[in-house]
Amino acid sequence: MNTHERIDRDLSERDFTVVGKSVKRSDTLEKVTGAARYAGDVALPGMLYAKMKRSNIAHARIKSIDTSKALALQGVKAVLTHQDVPRVLHAGSPHPRSASVTKDQYILDERVRYWGEGVAAVAAVSEEIAERAVALIEVEYDPLPGLFTIEAASDPAAPPIHENGLGQNYVLPPVFVTRGDVDKGFGEADLVIEREYDLGRPTPAYMEPNVCVSQWDGNGKLTMWTSTQSAFMVRGTLAEVLGVPLNKVRVIVDHMGGGFGAKQDLFQNEFLCALLARRTGRPVKMEFSRKETFVGGRSRHPGKIWLKQGFTRDGRIVAREARVTFNSGAYGSHGPGVTNVGTAALTSLYRCENVRLEGRCIYTNSPIAGAFRGYGVVQTYYALDLMMDEAAEKLGFDPAEFKLMNAVREGDMAPSGHPIVGHGLVDCIRRVMEETNWHELRRREKPETVKRRGIGIGCEMHGSSAYPGIKEQGNAIVKMNEDGTVTLITGTAGLGTGAHTALSQIVAEELGVPFEAVSVVQGDTDMVPWDIGAFASHTTYLGGRAAQLAAADVRRQVLEHAAPLLKAEPGDLAIRDGFVVVANGSNQSLRLSEAVGPQRGMPAVQLVGVGTYMPTKSYSFAAHFAEVEVDTETGEVAVLEVVPVHEIGRVIHPIAAAGQIEGGIQQGIGHTLSEDYVIDLTDGRSLNPSFVDYKMPLSMDMPSIRTIIIETAPDPGGPYGAKGVGEDPIIAIGPAIANAIYDAIGVRFHHYPITPEQVLNALKTKANETRQ
């Protein structure tokens, strides 16, 4: 894979010394040497190993559980069933992005709602003994009807999966978003297109399985090492469900092996691990197998989108109506948030004054769907973007020009209700057309060979923060040491993206010190300030801004303290490369260590700054070009080249930003062409819960990616104008590929993934229609 990135920037505002540079990541040495400590690496004296008994039926009441044989097995120290755990409802998602908090889960319940749900847990002296004990637990079930599709579950006559009083197995009441006069708009339309889009069930497939280690001390305090994106949310939910105060729960997250949104939730293992440790008085580790990360983890929400739009001959969109229906699986998790965000997204991206949208989220007896990179927008923008290409063709427009004409721009309302800053989407579409010689490629001949090529463009916008669904807050503490070095204390989680490197760059830039002078303390809820967690593309935007504010506070204190020493006013001083300098050209200066360290028998100055930031909303934009080759004999689709153009405000670390974009593209290729977690619709059984059968693109499957990042619309809310990039790249690549497939073979697909078998069947159907 030939990959490079180019960043076009305007530094007219100021020249940066650290921000915008691809400095060496601060966690590199630990990771390449294997010294980095993940939750699975924790080993404590006397530690026990826990395993979970999972149901082999999708929907049933538990008539009885016999644990006697398991308890009699030598080496088994404890067994827990629903009769042994607190019966407290909790939200699997500790911070849903919607105001509707769906508390619908017990740690263990007398009723199972999906195939593979945990029904009991064992702690033993080894994993092998724990697994043997799990097999000895005998469970007798009273079967209930299994509802595996949204159609079956939303039938008014269907039995309720949860008794929430909403009917039709709704997770939350339907979401309605309206503006303008939709009926009037359709009356003015010269072209109306109506389609239904079917959405598959990809999973995050992170490399590090869910794992936690729990230990209680003699004072009744729980310490948990776990792989989570939201340490403080885990702390809060554990405290609530276990009935202990917050100061009796400590959560530690040092390194993570990926999360992609799904590790925002609390899983059964975290509760059970803590309870088994309390029952036995010994530390306990519980680690999912790869199969369990599928069965007991989280997927993207599958579902259906019905979309209808009206267009005028001159290319304006005059009406948009949609019904978005998501399959939440057995529990709510992020269903409310995904439904709200995904539905509201259809108000934007392409301008339309008349909009009528409905969003539904339905319980089924399927594995739980949760948060996943692109959070509801992957699904809805896929449908919207594909219809834009179809409308362009019917109206006689070039699809890229058609999208450019209708793209949202400065002053238009974003899905959050905030006016958009800048013309980021317009800039991205124009740039991708220039970089790829779009019009020339569109004019090239397409020979009727076995392998046929096509090109397509997909677009996206995504918010940096979850506001207004969640009122977020970022906090940071910056401490200057007596030698002029700096410690950043942050609660932001590191998912493996290099976030703490970017935050260190921001602090170094604000304080005028070298990047190497900043170290980071993170990952321990007893030591760092409260943080809501790493999600919504907000770590740099939110946590970075808080760090910048804390660093600015320290800079102010340094200058005030150094002013008398330099016989100058604080306003006449600056910090540059570790020196306090008089900014009048006099060359007077002090090393920071001289300004703040012990001098002339006086103690060092204690300089601590605190930053708190509550953002509103910022949007990043992207347009992706994709070229594909379709083999008409095998149905296989190869992505040959991708040119993503992203507008993400001020870029803090160019290589890290490009890495986020390229990783998201790889996931998006998988979504579009191969990845689908398949559930047997007769009994709810998982059919491909492994990396052998769940087909992800590997490194050798990746195309050439030419990443271009532009900085045309810095956001005043972010640090130095930075915006988020984490979720953006997985959104635009799907429609770019699907549109390119149509350009290659003349067949439109209204679903993902688009498999070789479906390509062949569609080509046969097209050939039969041509003959007729």
Side-chain angles (χ1 to χ4, degrees), residues 412-440:
D412 289 342
M413 282 297 125
S416 61
H418 294 79
I420 290 169
V421 175
H423 303 282
L425 183 55
V426 170
D427 294 339
C428 288
I429 297 172
R430 283 179 176 154
R431 186 58 179 275
V432 85
M433 292 169 68
E434 294 169 5
E435 289 287 335
T436 60
N437 297 315
W438 171 261
H439 290 299
E440 183 178 328

Side-chain angles (χ1 to χ4, degrees), residues 444 447 449-456 626-641 673 703 736-737 739-745 754 756 759 763:
R444 72 183 178 185
T449 57
V450 170
K451 294 186 177 182
R452 302 175 192 175
R453 293 191 176 189
I455 59 173
E627 182 175 18
V628 305
E629 184 176 76
V630 182
D631 189 320
T632 58
E633 290 185 346
T634 67
E636 291 181 291
V637 178
V639 182
L640 303 179
E641 183 182 22
L673 298 178
I737 292 170
N739 291 330
I741 292 172
Y742 174 76
D743 186 52
I745 61 173
I754 303 167
V759 171
L763 286 170

Side-chain angles (χ1 to χ4, degrees), residues 476-478 510-511 546-560 607-612:
I477 299 170
V478 170
E510 189 67 27
L511 278 173
Q548 183 185 17
L549 293 171
D553 189 13
V554 170
R555 176 167 49 81
R556 175 189 58 79
Q557 295 176 57
V558 170
L559 299 183
E560 288 178 354
L607 301 178
V608 177
V610 177
T612 294

Side-chain angles (χ1 to χ4, degrees), residues 295-308:
V295 174
R298 301 291 183 266
S299 73
R300 190 178 297 286
H301 286 75
K304 296 182 184 296
I305 296 173
W306 171 81
L307 177 62
K308 177 183 177 183

